[in-house]
């Protein structure tokens, strides 16, 4: 029997329709999930901490806004703050940057995915869900090239299909899943 790879982190990218999509994935993650989860949701630069408060009420895991220079802990969902890129350092800490927008976005999914590879390499799971542009397609492709595991939401179940379609075309993901199946698949991959 083939031994499962021990994954060490999950990165999720989403945009238009992301609140609904994340509410069908994050609450399914088990309380004892032994890895961190990083979420990049395209949001307005003037947004408050609504997302963190919203998901803290419905998730079994701790949900927080990422802070510059904090060390990453397992069992925590880290949201990229409004108007900042979330970078994951090789020493497994977080850096925030207000450098120029990438793919018209800050936070950029590609930035987080690409830097997560530095820290986790082949032990990384990358996920792209609903969204209206192509941010994340390149980063997901790089995760796959580094040996990580890649999942894309089925464009047919996404509120806005452009981002999943771009990710499928660019990265040829390991799995294309209906939205309602992503959370349980993550629990299974991490076990």
């Amino acid at each position: 029997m083939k031994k499962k790879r021990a994954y060490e982190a999950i990165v999720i990218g989403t945009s238009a329709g992301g609140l609904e999509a994340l509410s069908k994935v994050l609450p399914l993650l088990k309380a004892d999930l032994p890895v961190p989860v990083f979420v990049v949701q395209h949001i307005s630069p003037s947004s408050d901490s609504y997302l963190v408060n919203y998901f803290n009420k419905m998730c079994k895991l701790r949900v927080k806004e990422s802070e510059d220079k904090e060390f990453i802990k397992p069992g925590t969902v880290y949201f990229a703050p409004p108007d900042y890129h979330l970078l994951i350092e090789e020493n497994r800490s977080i850096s925030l940057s207000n450098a120029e927008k990438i793919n018209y976005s800050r936070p950029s999914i590609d930035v987080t995915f690409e830097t997560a590879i530095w820290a986790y390499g082949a032990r990384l799971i990358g996920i792209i869900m609903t969204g209206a542009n192509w941010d994340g397609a390149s980063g997901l492709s790089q995760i796959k090239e580094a040996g990580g595991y890649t999942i894309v939401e089925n464009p047919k179940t996404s509120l806005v299909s452009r981002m999943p379609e771009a990710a499928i075309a660019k990265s040829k993901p390991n799995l294309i899943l209906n939205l309602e199946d992503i959370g349980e698949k993550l629990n299974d991959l991490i076990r």
Side-chain angles (χ1 to χ4, degrees):
M1 183 169 141
K2 188 177 176 184
K3 187 178 178 194
K4 279 188 178 180
R5 173 179 289 143
Y7 294 106
E8 295 179 354
I10 298 168
V11 286
I12 300 174
T14 187
S15 187
L19 181 65
E20 183 180 325
L22 289 166
S23 68
K24 291 190 164 86
V25 173
L26 296 179
L28 294 178
L29 299 179
K30 298 190 176 186
D32 61 347
L33 195 77
V35 302
V37 180
F38 304 95
V39 178
V40 180
Q41 163 71 56
H42 291 163
I43 49 177
S44 164
S46 60
S47 292
D48 59 14
S49 53
Y50 170 77
L51 281 177
V52 169
N53 294 332
Y54 177 76
F55 284 108
N56 252 323
K57 290 176 185 166
M58 66 170 41
C59 292
K60 299 170 193 93
L61 298 169
R62 177 178 182 230
V63 180
K64 71 180 304 287
E65 192 171 272
S66 300
E67 296 176 46
D68 196 41
K69 307 299 181 219
E70 77 175 299
F71 283 95
I72 295 162
K73 295 180 181 168
T76 304
V77 178
Y78 295 93
F79 271 86
D83 210 28
Y84 283 92
H85 295 303
L86 166 60
L87 293 82
I88 301 165
E89 302 291 343
E90 287 182 74
N91 69 353
R92 305 221 175 149
S93 69
I94 289 172
S95 289
L96 300 177
S97 166
N98 60 358
E100 69 183 69
K101 293 181 177 183
I102 308 290
N103 298 322
Y104 308 102
S105 303
R106 187 176 53 229
S108 165
I109 298 165
D110 277 333
V111 168
T112 300
F113 281 23
E114 291 164 11
T115 59
I117 296 166
W118 303 341
Y120 297 103
R123 298 185 181 275
L124 182 64
I125 298 172
I127 302 160
I128 290 290
M129 298 193 301
T130 181
N133 70 10
W134 57 90
D135 189 23
S138 176
L140 195 74
S141 178
Q142 291 179 48
I143 290 171
K144 187 163 185 205
E145 287 170 17
Y149 198 86
T150 55
I151 299 171
V152 175
E153 178 187 357
N154 184 342
K156 292 178 181 155
T157 68
S158 65
L159 193 61
V160 183
S161 63
R162 187 165 185 191
M163 207 152 77
E165 289 166 349
I168 290 166
K170 177 88 175 168
S171 72
K172 309 291 186 268
N174 295 96
L175 276 180
I176 299 169
L177 290 176
N178 290 342
L179 178 60
E180 61 271 13
D181 298 326
I182 294 174
E184 284 307 323
K185 183 61 180 179
L186 289 174
N187 286 324
D188 181 56
L189 285 169
I190 298 299
R191 298 281 162 231

